Amino acid sequence: MMHMAQDQDPEENIDPWGSLQIEDYADTMDQFGIDPMEKTGEKLPQQHRYLRRGIVYGHRDFGRVVDAINNDGPFAMMTGLMPSGEFHFGHKLVADQMIFYQELGAELFIAVADVEAYVTRDMDTDEMRELAIDQYLTNYIALGLDPENVHFYFQSEGSPHYNAMSKYFSKHVTQNEVEAVYGDISPAKTVSALTQAADILQPQFAEHGGPKPVVVPVGTDQDPHIRLTRDIASRFKDQDFIKPAATYHKFMRGLQGGKMSSSKPNSYIALTDPVDEALTKIDRAKTGGRDTLEEHREKGADIEEDVVFELLAFHLVDDDDRLRDIHDQYSSGEMLSGELKQIAKDELRNFLEQHQEKRADAKDRVDAFLS
Ligand code: TRP
């Protein structure tokens, strides 16, 4: 089941500019033809915790990318970011995947979607640029992104060929098709979609070595762009493209439940939050603890409802055995919400202190990505 902010029919389309929240991922996969990740992901030489825990839950054509990795063939990872505010743990989910693929040998393409933000949102260009560098890029570097083999670019400053391609692609898309994929679509959204197609296909342009497997890690809300781009890839005549692959991840909920959103500072922890503020956000976060101690001891926590446990699972506890222990103790009622929060606070303090130190160093390395 999906809840959409827009008044469109969720049975038919996803709005990549709306605020999609999915409750049943199996249902979404069925509906849109996304394949389950498990069997394909298992063939990778390394298993990131996002794979082990079903956080990256689905894919299209990812098998091709796995084959390239296992045969030491060339492959690329492409993704884009909308510079919307502070860099938080929701954004870290994508950054961790970039670094994972980089370590597996990928060439990386990272687009700052400033054209998309300009035409679909009310955002100032200078402010976007600053956010993209000071928030996104600097945190990527602090998390471990290496400048080697990375193309970090602004959509507004793409190559002439990239710009031309984003327009040529319009020839291969019908109005019926965009309406089937997106529902109601404005010129600004059409431009954003075609620009994103150029982002995703760019790793296969002649100047980047021609056709190769490409993986695009996205949230499910971006699937319409993936589908459209795959169709364009198969129809384009002047050069061959391999249909780009995509993986789909679950979104972490906001700290109060509901959606995590850059416009609601209490819904997220930014990687630049002062440690004390971040810990206070944990204190106030929604848990699955029961109303009374007796009830909690008897029924155990409702883990599904607990965003603090979610933060541990997504980001703060990498060791599966340890996470399972916490899970079992908490869901049996042996562990209380306050105790769970204490674990989260200890891990978070640790992480943020180290990260913020690395961030200070990372600032000096930003230029290596911008040249
Ligand atoms: N539309 C994406 C967003 O809203 C940003 C984006 C632009 C993107 N180009 C991309 C994502 C290419 C994946 C691949 O966040």
Side-chain angles (χ1 to χ4, degrees):
M1 237 213 342
M2 284 181 274
H3 299 286
M4 335 253 314
Q6 266 58 30
D7 56 353
Q8 52 173 309
D9 184 355
E11 292 303 313
E12 282 172 13
N13 37 51
I14 294 173
D15 177 2
W17 299 280
S19 54
L20 176 71
Q21 264 189 284
I22 295 176
E23 273 171 17
D24 185 339
Y25 284 94
D27 203 49
T28 307
M29 290 198 288
D30 273 0
Q31 212 175 309
F32 295 101
I34 295 171
D35 294 322
M37 190 61 176
E38 217 178 340
K39 293 230 163 56
T40 312
E42 273 171 8
K43 297 184 189 129
L44 283 171
Q46 286 172 44
Q47 298 293 310
H48 194 278
R49 65 174 179 279
Y50 297 151
L51 293 165
R52 303 192 309 263
R53 296 175 187 169
I55 291 169
V56 174
Y57 71 91
H59 75 96
R60 291 185 193 275
D61 258 352
F62 187 57
R64 257 190 199 136
V65 175
V66 174
D67 287 345
I69 293 171
N70 289 331
N71 297 312
D72 283 325
F75 78 105
M77 188 242 46
M78 197 291 132
T79 192
L81 59 110
M82 276 262 239
S84 53
E86 291 181 305
F87 186 91
H88 56 57
F89 276 95
H91 302 121
K92 179 174 176 287
L93 185 59
V94 178
D96 289 337
Q97 294 180 75
M98 291 177 188
I99 294 162
F100 176 67
Y101 289 116
Q102 183 171 55
E103 284 168 357
L104 290 172
E107 182 173 3
L108 262 46
F109 292 77
I110 306 168
V112 179
D114 62 341
V115 168
E116 175 175 10
Y118 182 93
V119 302
T120 65
R121 296 183 185 188
D122 202 11
M123 284 203 56
D124 177 79
T125 343
D126 292 339
E127 190 192 331
M128 281 193 286
R129 195 177 174 88
E130 163 137 14
L131 281 175
I133 294 172
D134 180 60
Q135 284 294 319
Y136 292 77
L137 183 55
T138 311
N139 283 303
Y140 294 158
I141 300 169
L143 288 169
L145 191 72
D146 183 322
E148 189 82 8
N149 258 335
V150 178
H151 308 267
F152 181 89
Y153 68 97
F154 291 78
Q155 285 180 331
S156 63
E157 295 171 354
S159 73
H161 185 218
Y162 159 89
N163 273 307
M165 290 292 257
S166 72
K167 299 181 178 95
Y168 294 163
F169 290 158
S170 63
K171 184 172 169 176
H172 301 288
V173 185
T174 66
Q175 185 63 20
N176 277 344
E177 184 181 18
V178 286
E179 282 172 11
V181 174
Y182 295 98
D184 252 352
I185 186 158
S186 63
K189 290 179 177 179
T190 307
V191 164
S192 299
L194 294 173
T195 306
Q196 185 150 342
D199 290 330
I200 295 173
L201 294 175
Q202 176 167 240
Q204 303 190 59
F205 290 176
E207 64 263 37
H208 294 298
K212 64 172 74 64
V214 179
V215 58
V216 189
V218 289
T220 317
D221 61 320
Q222 297 296 304
D223 187 48
H225 297 315
I226 301 292
R227 277 182 276 147
L228 186 79
T229 305
R230 285 166 55 83
D231 285 346
I232 292 172
S234 58
R235 290 177 199 151
F236 197 75
K237 295 286 179 297
D238 299 325
Q239 89 145 86
D240 287 338
F241 287 113
I242 295 174
K243 277 193 188 186
T247 64
Y248 300 86
H249 47 254
K250 297 179 178 174
F251 283 130
M252 226 175 44
R253 285 167 294 178
L255 295 171
Q256 318 288 334
K259 205 177 147 59
M260 187 184 289
S261 160
S262 300
S263 57
K264 290 186 287 171
N266 282 326
S267 75
Y268 64 79
I269 295 170
L271 273 64
T272 46
D273 272 349
V275 173
D276 289 350
E277 263 175 46
L279 300 187
T280 307
K281 287 181 179 178
I282 299 280
D283 281 330
R284 295 188 184 141
K286 182 177 175 212
T287 72
R290 306 290 177 176
D291 291 342
T292 64
L293 181 64
E294 297 80 70
E295 196 191 344
H296 188 89
R297 294 286 188 218
E298 190 196 321
K299 292 186 185 156
D302 185 356
I303 290 213
E304 290 296 305
E305 289 301 309
D306 198 294
V307 296
V308 178
F309 184 79
E310 195 163 84
L311 185 66
L312 294 180
F314 273 65
H315 295 289
L316 297 177
V317 175
D318 194 47
D319 183 327
D320 288 345
D321 293 336
R322 180 162 178 235
L323 189 72
R324 190 169 316 107
D325 278 350
I326 295 171
H327 178 279
D328 292 351
Q329 289 179 33
Y330 192 41
S331 59
S332 71
E334 203 183 313
M335 183 185 286
L336 301 175
S337 298
E339 295 168 320
L340 182 82
K341 283 184 168 176
Q342 194 53 51
I343 295 173
K345 283 158 70 174
D346 292 343
E347 293 299 332
L348 184 63
R349 171 187 295 282
N350 233 329
F351 172 82
L352 287 179
E353 281 175 358
Q354 285 182 31
H355 180 76
Q356 291 174 4
E357 229 167 83
K358 290 184 198 152
R359 230 188 87 88
D361 290 342
K363 288 191 175 162
D364 299 333
R365 281 180 286 142
V366 160
D367 287 344
F369 287 83
L370 296 174
S371 51

